[in-house]
Every structure is written in C-alpha cells, then in structure tokens.
Amino acid sequence: MSAVPGPSRTRRTWSFWTMEDVRTILIGSGVLVAVIGGIVLLNDIPPRQYPAIIVWLVAVLIAHDVVIAGIVFGVAFAGRRVEGRMPHRSILVAQGALAVGGIMVLLVVPEIVKKAVGTANPSILPLDYGDNLAILLVALAVAATAAIGLHAVLDRQRRRP
C-alpha cells in the first residue's frame, strides 16, 4: 500500500517573511486595533451615546454589504457579460474605483450631516466636506477612466502583429 501525498504546502517567501508570517501580523494588527477601539469607546464615550453608535455601525454595515457590495457585484456581473469587448483588468479597475468611492462616501456623509445640523464649536468641522467629497469622487472617476483607457491602448498595441 503506497501513501498518497497530501496537498503541496509550498511556502511563499519575500526575503525572510513567509505568507504565514504576514497573515499573523495582519490578524494581530487587526485584533490590536479592535482592542484599542474598544478601550477608547469604554473610556471616552459616555454610555448614553452607545445606542447611536450601534445604529451607525449597523447602518454602515448594511450600506456596505447591500449597496456598495451590490454595485460592485453588478459591475462584475455586467463585465463578465461583455468580457470579450472589455478587458478583465478594466473591470477590476472599475470595481476598485467603485469600492473606494463608496467607502469614502460612507466615511464622509456623517461629517456632511453634522456640519449641516451645526455644532457648538465651529472649529470641530472646519472644512467643506461635501465639496471635498465631490472633488475626490471626480478625481477617482478620472483616474479610473484613464487607467481603463490606458489598458485599452496597451491591449490594442499588444494585439497588433
């Protein structure tokens, strides 16, 4: 009876780092940041604000998982339908731009709302967050369009005999 070899366990290395080392560092960093966030929450935020924080976290989770992920999935689905006419890299660039833009909207909208409502101290929210968000989204769209155009030009040049 011969032993059947198991799956190959090749180790990817970058100089002296292995993939397992990188994963351990990333997971440890995430846990550390979560613990620090919990400590700050318990020490600096009054308990009467916990319900509002929970509502905000649930709303962001729903917005991210339903709206942003849904749009990015829709782009992936539509991109696969036209994959022969649109390179896969272009679909990935569009998905990345939509994900970054959506997350930035989630991060900035609370500042826009709070500035519109008003604060007791005007120096807390001194910037024009709506205009800055619009500029960022336009710049992101321009960069994504330029990257997609560059991919199209490079693909045409590569296909020429």
Side-chain angles (χ1 to χ4, degrees):
M1 192 187 266
S2 66
V4 177
S8 172
R9 300 244 186 229
T10 58
R11 295 182 70 169
R12 293 183 125 176
T13 60
W14 295 282
S15 66
F16 56 90
W17 296 98
T18 64
M19 193 61 162
E20 290 82 14
D21 295 336
V22 173
R23 272 194 204 114
T24 302
I25 290 169
L26 290 174
I27 291 170
S29 300
V31 169
L32 179 65
V33 168
V35 168
I36 291 171
I39 291 169
V40 169
L41 174 72
L42 294 174
N43 287 335
D44 295 348
I45 307 295
R48 63 179 159 65
Q49 290 183 343
Y50 291 171
I53 292 171
I54 291 170
V55 167
W56 184 82
L57 287 172
V58 169
V60 167
L61 179 70
I62 291 170
H64 176 272
D65 288 351
V66 175
V67 178
I68 296 173
I71 291 170
V72 172
F73 175 76
V75 167
F77 183 76
R80 291 190 189 276
R81 305 279 293 172
V82 297
E83 192 168 1
R85 294 171 281 180
M86 185 175 195
H88 185 66
R89 285 175 292 176
S90 298
I91 297 167
L92 294 176
V93 168
Q95 285 181 295
L98 287 169
V100 169
I103 290 169
M104 288 308 299
V105 167
L106 286 179
L107 290 173
V108 176
V109 164
E111 284 85 3
I112 294 171
V113 170
K114 185 59 181 172
K115 187 163 184 171
V117 169
T119 61
N121 183 353
S123 66
I124 291 175
L125 297 171
L127 303 176
D128 192 1
Y129 298 100
D131 289 346
N132 290 342
L133 179 62
I135 291 168
L136 175 94
L137 293 176
V138 167
L140 188 62
V142 167
T145 303
I148 290 170
L150 180 63
H151 283 303
V153 168
L154 292 175
D155 281 344
R156 274 194 214 109
Q157 288 178 350
R158 207 174 311 135
R159 289 182 186 160
R160 285 187 184 162

